[in-house]
Structure formats: C-alpha cells, structure tokens
Amino acid sequence: MPGELRVYNCGPTVYDYQHIGNLYSYITADVVRRTFEYFGYRVTQVMNITDVGHLVGDADVAAEDKMAVTARRESVDPLVLAERYTKQFFVDRHKLNILDPGVVSKATEHIPEMIALIERLLANGNAYVAPDGVYFDITTFPGYGTRLNAEPPHEREAGARVEVNPNKRNAADFALWRAAKPGDLQKWPSPWGEGNPGWHIECSAMSMKYLGETFDMHSGGEDHLFPHHECEIAQSEAATGRPFVRYWVHTRFLRMDSAKMAKSAGAFLRLSDIEERGYDPLAFRLLALGTSYRKGLDFTWEALGSAQTRLDKWRGVIAEAWQAAGGVAAAVSETDPNRTAFAEAVADDFNLAAALAPAEAAVGHATTGDVETKRRALGLLFDMDRVLGLSLRSTAIASTSLPAEARVLLEERARARERKDFERSDALRDELLRRFGIRVKDTKDGQRWERDDRKGA
Ligand code: AMP
Ligand code: ZN
C-alpha cells in the first residue's frame, strides 16, 4: 500500500540470552522502521519469538531442538525458559531504544496456522508425508536455494557432514513437521500425529497471517540467507503461487576477534557485560550506527570506548546548548543542508555511517553558535534522533529537570544579577551548590548551571 511499510523481522530463539550480535541485527531492524517513519510512512512491523523447534545443525529430523537441549540441561519447562529469555530480550531492546514491533508473535501460539500451511503444500504436491514427519520436496520448486544466494548452498555443501535421512526423497528436502520422539518436551496434535513444526514454517505462517501473502520487507542476520529464508521463500510461494517478499535485509555479523559472535560458540557478550564495564547501552547503539548493516560490525572495547566518548560529548554539548537556548529548539527547516545530507544518507540503503557526519556538524553548531544557531542545531539533532534513537531530547530535558526550589533560587539569582545585586547573587550561588549540588556559571548568554556530582543531593 502506498505510504505503508509491511515488515517482518525474524525474531530470536529464546533458549538463551541474546548476545550483542543478535541485538545488533535488531538495531538494524529498528533503524529500518524508524527511517520509514521519518519519511512519513506508516509501518506495520511484526517480529516472531521462536519458542519451539529451532533445530541444532541441519533442519532435519535427526537434529536436536535448541529449546529442548537447554530445557533439559536446566530441568525447566521450555515455556518457562522461553518466558525468561523473552523478557530479558525486551529489557535489552528497551535499553537500546529499539522500538516495540506492533505485533510480537510466538510460534507456540500459531501451531494451527502452520498446520494449515503444511496442508496447502501437501495439497499442491510440494510436500510429502514420511514416517518421521512431513517434508518439503525441493525438486518441486525450481530455483530452490538460489533466490538470495548465488549458487545453491546445499550443493556447495553436498556430502559434507550431513547424514542422509533415508525417509527423505532428496537430501536437501527440509522438515515442515517432525513426528514426536520419545522424551520430547513440546509436542502438538496434527493430521500426521503428534509432533512439532519445523523452524522455517513458523516464519512463513506468522508473517503471512499478519502481513498478507505478499509483503514489503523481511529481515534477519546473514546466517538466515541459507537455509532459513530460502526455505521460507520456497514454502510460501509454493503454497500461494504469489511472490512472498519484495525486499530482504540481511545484517552482516557482529564479529569479535575476527569470528562471528554466536550463542553456540560460548564466547559471547551480553548487554549486561557491556554495562558492567561501565558503558552505556546507547554507546553500543551509537557504535552500531557507525557502520553499515552490509558490512557488519567488528566489535572491540576500544571502539566501544570511542563511541562512549562521542556520546558523552554530544550529551554535554546538548545539555549546555539547551540551557543557553532557554529550553527552546527551532523547528527544523527542510532546506537545511545538514538535514538534507542526513535524509539522503538514511534514504541511501540506511547509510547511518554517512548520516552521522551531518549529525556531528549539528553538534558543532550547537557548541559554537549563537543562541539562534544553537536552537536550530538542537531542532536538527532532535529531528535526526527520530532515526538515531539516542534519546537526545531526554538528555536536554534531564539537564533542566531541577527541584522546584532550586529553580526558584536560580530565577531569583538571575533577577539579582539584573539589578546588579552581586552580594545576593553570590549568596544564592553558594546556596545552590551547598543544598542542590548545582554549580552556576555566568556567561555572555546569561547564567548556566551544571550538576556537581561531588556535592548536594
Ligand atoms: P537466533 O536467536 O539465533 O535466531 O538469532 C537472532 C537473530 O540474530 C537472527 O536474525 C540472527 O541472524 C542474528 N544473529 C545471530 N548472530 C549474529 C551476529 N553475530 N551478528 C549479527 N546478527 C546475528
Ligand atoms: Zn524466521
């Protein structure tokens, strides 16, 4: 629909904490949403939560379910596990100013939709029932595996590691439904007996339920290029006979020490690890904005430190400028060259790295400009922050959130200075520092204040 973006984000498998690599891919998804909203689009955003059936290794019946592996290890019900890690995921997202999608859909709440989709594929002759589940027959979908990948990855990997399951017609056929195995912690009734859904089918079923059979955009990390998204395309288009998704966004990995950060690899950082080292989650967001989703992010503590320094500088400048500007930001002018440069950068494939340059220029104007320039720079920064998501307006407002009594004293001091009663104004300055920890400075633009952390409440 014109003026609307309908977008699906592949959500996390909630058997463990999300690491900063996962969170980085959701920052990309958030920037996409914010960019479209910035340009006046209405965004319908859906994200799933995989709380069942994401298989370890090949998407095959022989593989084990990630949820089940952890649930068994920790002796908890898979849904308790899912609840715990879903909650933490949203705590982390909120710290990173990642906006909530309009729909958050859990796989376990959409089993009937998945079964209906599998039935359509069986009716169309794209799927077959085997003793251990239902499979998609890849020979019925020409070009399988090559829609997002130059050559079919399953052919590149032919013969490697994967043990061929004799129940499958073709080695690369993938499971739509798995028959329950003894000891399965999660299972549902189906026309093919008790079992659980394959991982890929959940995203096709839920995305099409909420967004329609053809929708605008679908995102995930680069590991989803194969098999996940190729399988989604094959089973969705085979079922509906229509194009599935118009645009795909795949975030390249966050890497540490040149290796992909992965839950299964053990060596991963959570957002809390970053906080424990004294960094602000929004410094990580700013670090993530400084690259392109097409390049990925090489995480180092030094780079995070630089992002933190940059964020602190911006915050300091904004707080000062806001006070000097009397808490007023000018309405943004569409013809402001920095505004234009910013809009062009974000519209160019979400090039946030390039968009930070005009933002930095606005910070410069907020630092050195006169009151009117500061007001314009602040207006511009608050406008850009609709995409950047760094809470810059809150920074400004927090810098003026004074106890009412302190505000009265500040106002009284300004009047004392106007009438050149320096004895009174000095006494008020001492009182503000002693009682509220507020240090007042006199500048050519009037009095300014800052918090002195060593004093006052
Ligand atoms: P998962 O829970 O494994 O499905 O991962 C959640 C999301 O994070 C998926 O979109 C993955 O593609 C993505 N992802 C996983 N590892 C990384 C990484 N190191 N960098 C960026 N994105 C990742
Ligand atoms: Zn998915």
Side-chain angles (χ1 to χ4, degrees), residues 263-278:
K263 287 177 210 169
S264 50
F268 67 76
L269 292 173
R270 299 179 197 155
L271 197 60
S272 58
D273 294 320
I274 280 182
E275 290 178 287
E276 274 162 26
R277 289 230 199 166

Side-chain angles (χ1 to χ4, degrees), residues 219-266:
S219 76
E222 66 174 296
D223 50 339
H224 287 175
L225 282 163
F226 189 84
H228 189 46
H229 288 160
E230 293 281 4
C231 296
E232 278 191 48
I233 293 171
Q235 64 202 4
S236 305
E237 298 196 355
T240 67
R242 292 165 197 242
F244 177 45
V245 165
R246 296 193 180 94
Y247 298 95
W248 292 87
V249 177
H250 290 100
T251 303
R252 295 281 163 201
F253 287 140
L254 178 146
R255 299 163 296 259
M256 196 161 67
D257 302 328
S258 308
K260 172 200 173 186
M261 185 168 284
K263 287 177 210 169
S264 50

